[in-house]
Amino acid sequence: MDQQQWQDFLTGEGAIWEGPKVHFPETEADLHLVDLTPLGAISIKGPDSQKFLQGQLTCDLITLPDGRSTLGAHCNPKGRMISAFNALKVSQQEFVFRMPRDLTNIARDALAKYAVFFKTELADISEHFRWLGLQGKNAPQATTKLLGLNDLTAGEVRTFDFKGERILVQALNDRQVALLVPSVSAPGLWQQLSDKADPAGYDRWQQLQIENGVPQLYAATSELFIPQMTNLHLLGGVSFKKGCYTGQEVVARMQFRGAAKRRLYRAICPSGEIPTPGQPVFGEGEQSIGNLVESCRSEKGIELLAVLTIAKVAAGEQMRLEDGRSLELQELPYDADADPLA
């Protein structure tokens, strides 16, 4: 089933499309079924997969048990993130990375440059698989009941069979579960799950990720940020104890010297056109003091994450988008000034 057929299927289920995003009527259900079409996937398989990735990524995959997941990034030699992702470790021989669709080709090609000396295969599987999400209170427990699984805990990765096809399940947190489904099986699983969960659009999923302060890179922001600028080191996505990886010297130097001048902030702004990733953010002067990371619509207006200059925020400057809309900073659910080495 290609993208057009999937769109036609969801349209028949009541969806309204806005580019790659889908919208459904808002409901107050305890559990929502979310179409994650804007997200893609990279598969890494082969006997050397863990060894290869360990030397490339910011996260530590050796200490990560099989059947678990972590945030992570792949940097260039200057420490700038080419890609950032959720890394799902099925086993030491198989990993799946979830990231925006427009980043998958960039991420795969960047990793492939270093993979030639390892027994591993990288593939962009976004056209053959789809991500679906289950979101709501106690989503992992609800998922286990709907799919007949054993208890699922936050961070866990599990597989199960659906009509002869393997489905990959990841519990991101206590409110979100992602399912990687072969495209051919997606309509059947959607219809089964929608009997117990109300359909919802991607904005609902994005809003919770933004509220949780979880950054996401896009093609437009590839190689723009060092991990600490996006608070990735505070979310378990950077290990300062593992061995060398591409860009490690720059990332470590910034941490040990406390040299980060920008970090991730959460904000809201009035409704209007959705600001795009990488769009500049201004303070009270005419020079950009940061860049937008991602944004979505909500009942509050536009919710967003942006990397901003720490000194400008501390000085109390009024932040604004390029079109003049002002930003109102919001609290993050974690201590953004914490030292992960302490």
Side-chain angles (χ1 to χ4, degrees):
M1 172 173 279
D2 61 22
Q3 178 60 23
Q4 187 57 56
Q5 290 172 318
W6 178 247
Q7 288 188 1
D8 292 343
F9 166 75
L10 286 186
T11 299
E13 297 288 306
I16 298 174
W17 289 88
E18 179 189 14
K21 285 186 178 183
V22 69
H23 299 282
F24 288 93
E26 287 292 322
T27 71
E28 297 300 323
D30 291 334
L31 188 67
H32 286 92
L33 173 61
V34 187
D35 171 56
L36 303 180
T37 287
L39 301 178
I42 293 176
S43 168
I44 304 96
K45 288 184 179 180
D48 289 346
S49 294
Q50 179 168 278
K51 181 180 179 181
F52 160 64
L53 293 172
Q54 185 72 359
Q56 294 300 320
L57 308 183
T58 60
C59 51
D60 190 345
L61 297 180
I62 289 179
T63 59
L64 184 71
D66 292 359
R68 303 295 295 181
S69 60
T70 182
L71 294 174
H74 180 221
C75 299
N76 65 19
K78 295 181 179 180
R80 302 276 171 169
M81 294 187 293
I82 301 169
S83 62
F85 39 76
N86 265 265
L88 284 62
K89 183 177 181 180
V90 182
S91 69
Q92 295 181 25
Q93 295 78 38
E94 182 181 1
F95 296 82
V96 173
F97 293 171
R98 183 175 62 255
M99 65 187 74
R101 276 178 176 257
D102 76 347
L103 189 61
T104 54
N105 281 336
I106 295 171
R108 181 201 58 202
D109 291 348
L111 284 167
K113 295 176 183 178
Y114 302 94
V116 292
F117 301 110
F118 296 86
K119 294 178 181 178
T120 187
E121 294 184 3
L122 290 83
D124 182 350
I125 59 174
S126 306
E127 296 303 316
H128 305 290
F129 288 81
R130 299 201 165 276
W131 290 103
L132 303 180
L134 286 168
Q135 180 170 318
K137 186 178 180 180
N138 299 321
Q141 290 85 346
T143 301
T144 59
K145 293 179 180 179
L146 286 176
L147 301 177
L149 305 176
N150 293 327
D151 289 344
L152 189 65
T153 59
E156 189 173 1
V157 175
R158 192 89 58 81
T159 62
F160 74 95
D161 179 87
F162 178 75
K163 298 182 179 179
E165 297 284 350
R166 190 186 78 160
I167 310 295
L168 195 61
V169 185
Q170 178 210 11
L172 284 74
N173 48 57
D174 61 359
R175 295 176 63 190
Q176 289 179 310
V177 173
L179 299 93
L180 184 64
V181 187
S183 295
V184 67
S185 300
L189 185 59
W190 179 277
Q191 289 179 327
Q192 177 176 313
L193 294 175
S194 63
D195 286 340
K196 301 293 183 181
D198 284 3
Y202 183 62
D203 278 345
R204 180 179 287 270
W205 184 272
Q206 247 188 322
Q207 181 182 350
L208 185 54
Q209 288 286 289
I210 289 172
E211 289 175 356
N212 287 339
V214 179
Q216 194 157 249
L217 284 193
Y218 294 83
T221 49
S222 179
E223 300 189 72
L224 185 61
F225 305 122
I226 291 172
Q228 287 95 325
M229 294 180 183
T230 64
N231 297 356
L232 194 68
H233 62 307
L234 302 176
L235 299 166
V238 181
S239 171
F240 296 102
K241 297 180 179 180
K242 63 176 286 187
C244 293
Y245 58 86
T246 305
Q248 183 261 351
E249 184 177 351
V250 176
V251 175
R253 187 188 307 126
M254 176 173 283
Q255 192 64 32
F256 288 107
R257 294 184 179 179
K261 296 181 180 180
R262 295 186 174 192
R263 72 161 174 85
L264 191 73
Y265 292 85
R266 176 183 162 220
I268 59 173
C269 74
S271 296
E273 186 175 344
I274 292 284
T276 56
Q279 182 175 314
V281 177
F282 298 88
E284 295 173 0
E286 296 303 316
Q287 187 174 359
S288 167
I289 63 164
N291 299 88
L292 188 123
V293 174
E294 68 174 327
S295 61
C296 73
R297 290 191 178 93
S298 78
E299 66 280 358
K300 302 174 185 176
I302 304 293
E303 302 208 26
L304 59 88
L305 295 173
V307 170
L308 303 174
T309 302
I310 297 171
K312 295 293 186 180
V313 175
E317 289 198 18
Q318 177 61 57
M319 309 296 165
R320 58 183 172 85
L321 297 178
E322 201 167 19
D323 61 10
R325 282 179 289 175
S326 62
L327 302 184
E328 181 183 341
L329 296 182
Q330 306 291 300
E331 292 291 329
L332 288 167
Y334 51 81
D335 182 1
D337 298 314
D339 181 359
L341 299 175

